[in-house]
Amino acid sequence: MSAAPLLLAGGMVADPLAGEASRRDLLIENGRIAAIAAPGAIGRPDAQRFDASDRLILPAFVNAHTHGHANLVKGVAERWTLEASLTNGPWLAGARDPETIYLSTLLGALDMLSKGCTSCFDLVYEFPRPTLEGFLAVANGYADAGMKAVLAPMVADLNLFQAVPGLMDSLPEDLHETVGRFQLANGDETIAAMEAIFAARDRLPPGISLAIAPTIPHHCSERFLMQCVDLAERHDLPIHMHIAESRLQATSARKLWGVSPVRRLADLGVLRPSFIAAHAVWLDGRDLDILAAHHCSVAQIPASNFRLGAGIAHVRPMLERGLRVGLATDGANSSDALSMLQATRLASYASRVFDAPRETWLDAAETLRLATSGGGALPGLGHSGRIETGAAADLVLFDLSHIDFMPLTDPLNQIVTAADSASITDVFADGRHVVAGRKLQTIDPTTLRERVADSVARLSASLADARALAGRLEPHVVAFADSQRDEPLPVARHLPVEGRAFA
């Protein structure tokens, strides 16, 4: 039985697509926006009335790239680079039963919902390979929280030490054998595991769909990568990959293939309209031209890029080429807050660091488009993030009496520059009231505290040896990455430091 119609009456509706905010009534019926009109113009006496006169209504945020497996390691990273994070990857996502995987996903979903995000693209990682049981646990975690999600097994057949040229040789001799413990599953076994997941897609809850994520180009042998592409084609799945996230990734591609990772993927026939490039930090104009020519998309992830010191992606040239760009948080191990408001603000500010006229900076409406309809336009995400007739009723309501909006000068600008999650009062996902009066309605997060603590304690005990090994390896990996900073690249995404010419 469908819920009764709901009328959000008299709210200040902020439309990033139009770049304006105005008073409107919104009628929600069967999970969708059935009508938008001036206050008082929708004659539906059968609808439940919600007085939104003191609310600013925005399309709910769409998180274009996250990792649900990382939610139990929030706060673990301290001055980690990307390479340090990858070194710690096996214990960050290892030795987890379906209940632990479910709990990690649920925790992150509730976090995102409380901050106004109702849809995400999750690159799901299990070490050493994905499992159907773990994947279904992730799907149920999102569904139970009330979120929609695209889930992509994040896979590779080469570990960090096999993938990066020269890295293994840089390790002390006594560590050479121990890195074998980081060995991933055989590529054919991983492909078979994904086949089992995709064959069970009818077991997914409503609102959950599939994709595939061969994680990083040089972490995938050519044979394995093309097997992934074949899976994507046979099952009609988007492909989502980390592309040139760090300087070392960009230089490794050139050492291996003599070309950028984007050129390599184009030559192999991997790029297509359903391809999403995550991060895309160390790319030049030619790379962006290639992505645009293949009608690809980009997930821009500023909080993680800052947190890991990966560099600052230049978004304006992407938009100028017509690339679809969505904003994202990344996982809680590198963007701990899982806050799309934070991602929005950082994206706005990051656009100002380049030596270019202020007209190239992202303005408020444009930045909010990236965080809402921009992410919603990425393959798999169902054109969400819009307030228009027929669209899913995914909405976030801000309290106009909150100090963030005093005085109310420019609603769109103040969401970007002033608002934080404390001013969010209500969130609707497919018309379902999942946050009401600042309280989550699907699951009480206070009931999770003890379960989370117990789960983290068990993981800490079972993964102590793997974490200790990563701790031994980490300084050597980071030192190797630092030693490669002088390798030439056509772009600079770090500011130079006096006395040393960092690229």
Side-chain angles (χ1 to χ4, degrees):
M1 182 177 178
S2 61
L6 176 66
L7 182 68
L8 300 184
M12 178 71 74
V13 175
D15 183 358
L17 290 171
E20 61 185 22
S22 58
R23 295 284 175 184
R24 290 287 185 269
D25 284 355
L26 301 179
L27 179 67
I28 299 174
E29 195 167 15
N30 298 322
R32 311 199 79 80
I33 299 173
I36 305 171
I42 298 176
R44 287 293 298 270
D46 61 321
Q48 179 185 351
R49 190 176 188 277
F50 182 105
D51 183 2
S53 58
D54 208 17
R55 297 291 181 262
L56 175 62
I57 304 174
L58 184 75
F61 296 112
V62 179
N63 190 347
H65 179 102
T66 190
H67 301 286
H69 63 268
N71 296 320
L72 295 180
V73 291
K74 185 184 300 181
V76 73
E78 175 59 42
R79 293 205 295 186
W80 275 9
T81 63
L82 173 65
E83 285 68 39
S85 183
L86 293 175
T87 304
N88 285 278
W91 74 262
L92 288 174
R96 300 189 176 198
D97 58 24
E99 172 61 22
T100 304
I101 293 170
Y102 170 85
L103 186 61
S104 180
T105 305
L106 180 64
L107 185 66
L110 295 175
D111 194 348
M112 285 186 275
L113 281 175
S114 71
K115 296 166 184 172
C117 176
T118 61
S119 304
C120 73
F121 206 121
D122 188 338
L123 281 66
V124 180
Y125 181 57
E126 291 181 78
F127 180 82
R129 64 176 172 271
T131 66
L132 174 58
E133 296 77 16
F135 208 79
L136 291 174
V138 173
N140 288 328
Y142 280 116
D144 289 350
M147 274 193 75
K148 293 176 284 190
V150 183
L151 306 182
M154 187 172 73
V155 293
D157 65 338
L158 302 174
N159 66 33
L160 176 68
F161 303 94
Q162 297 169 311
V164 176
L167 177 56
M168 180 69 84
D169 293 338
S170 74
L171 298 178
E173 193 67 34
D174 65 312
L175 287 177
H176 279 204
E177 185 175 343
T178 59
V179 298
R181 292 169 57 185
F182 287 8
Q183 187 73 31
L184 298 170
N186 173 274
D188 289 339
E189 294 175 355
T190 299
I191 294 296
M194 288 191 290
E195 286 275 21
I197 290 169
F198 301 147
R201 64 197 310 169
D202 60 339
R203 295 172 59 185
L204 296 175
I208 307 298
S209 59
L210 299 174
I212 187 169
T215 177
I216 301 167
H218 59 281
H219 285 234
C220 300
S221 67
E222 182 176 334
R223 178 175 181 270
F224 180 77
L225 179 59
M226 299 318 295
Q227 286 177 303
C228 290
V229 171
D230 176 66
L231 274 177
E233 291 176 344
R234 286 192 287 110
H235 294 280
D236 192 24
L237 304 175
I239 301 172
H240 195 134
M241 298 184 73
H242 299 80
I243 302 297
E245 179 178 354
S246 72
R247 197 180 198 285
L248 182 62
Q249 287 187 1
T251 58
S252 293
R254 285 165 170 79
K255 285 184 178 182
L256 287 167
W257 309 306
V259 294
S260 75
V262 169
R263 179 73 267 171
R264 169 70 172 175
L265 293 175
D267 291 344
L268 291 175
V270 177
L271 301 184
R272 59 202 58 217
S274 60
F275 183 90
I276 303 168
H279 296 280
V281 177
W282 294 85
L283 301 183
D284 64 14
R286 291 168 296 182
D287 293 321
L288 298 182
D289 288 340
I290 293 170
L291 290 175
H294 289 84
H295 307 287
C296 300
S297 304
V298 174
Q300 215 285 81
I301 315 172
S304 175
N305 295 340
F306 278 117
R307 179 87 155 86
L308 299 177
I312 300 174
H314 200 178
V315 175
R316 177 58 64 195
M318 301 175 187
L319 298 176
E320 289 175 343
R321 287 165 170 80
L323 285 165
R324 298 184 299 271
V325 179
L327 287 186
T329 66
D330 217 339
N333 59 317
S334 60
S335 181
D336 311 58
L338 295 184
S339 171
M340 284 297 294
L341 273 171
Q342 180 190 75
T344 302
R345 187 164 300 149
L346 290 175
S348 172
Y349 293 171
S351 72
R352 290 152 164 76
V353 305
F354 295 94
D355 185 15
R358 68 175 186 170
E359 288 77 17
T360 67
W361 299 352
L362 296 176
D363 65 31
E366 194 170 27
T367 311
L368 286 171
R369 286 197 292 272
L370 301 184
T372 54
S373 59
L378 268 56
L381 285 165
H383 297 283
S384 50
R386 299 167 179 264
I387 295 180
E388 57 188 30
T389 303
D394 297 335
L395 305 167
V396 54
L397 277 59
F398 294 84
D399 185 358
L400 287 175
S401 69
H402 192 276
I403 200 166
D404 290 344
F405 297 99
M406 287 187 221
L408 184 62
T409 305
D410 183 331
L412 293 173
N413 197 10
Q414 284 169 255
I415 294 173
V416 175
T417 60
D420 64 23
S421 58
S423 60
I424 293 174
T425 63
D426 299 86
V427 180
F428 293 86
D430 282 334
R432 184 182 179 190
H433 206 170
V434 292
V435 177
R438 295 185 170 89
K439 292 184 178 180
L440 287 155
Q441 300 298 295
T442 51
I443 293 173
D444 181 356
T446 62
T447 65
L448 301 180
R449 186 174 183 181
E450 187 173 333
R451 291 170 63 191
V452 168
D454 289 345
S455 182
V456 170
R458 289 196 304 272
L459 287 174
S460 296
S462 64
L463 296 170
D465 289 346
R467 186 170 185 176
L469 174 57
R472 292 176 61 201
L473 289 165
E474 182 186 319
H476 300 289
V477 174
V478 173
F480 176 81
D482 285 343
S483 74
Q484 304 300 299
R485 286 182 179 273
D486 293 331
E487 292 291 325
L489 284 174
V491 293
R493 295 292 183 251
H494 290 144
L495 295 176
V497 175
E498 186 175 354
R500 182 175 178 184
F502 284 102

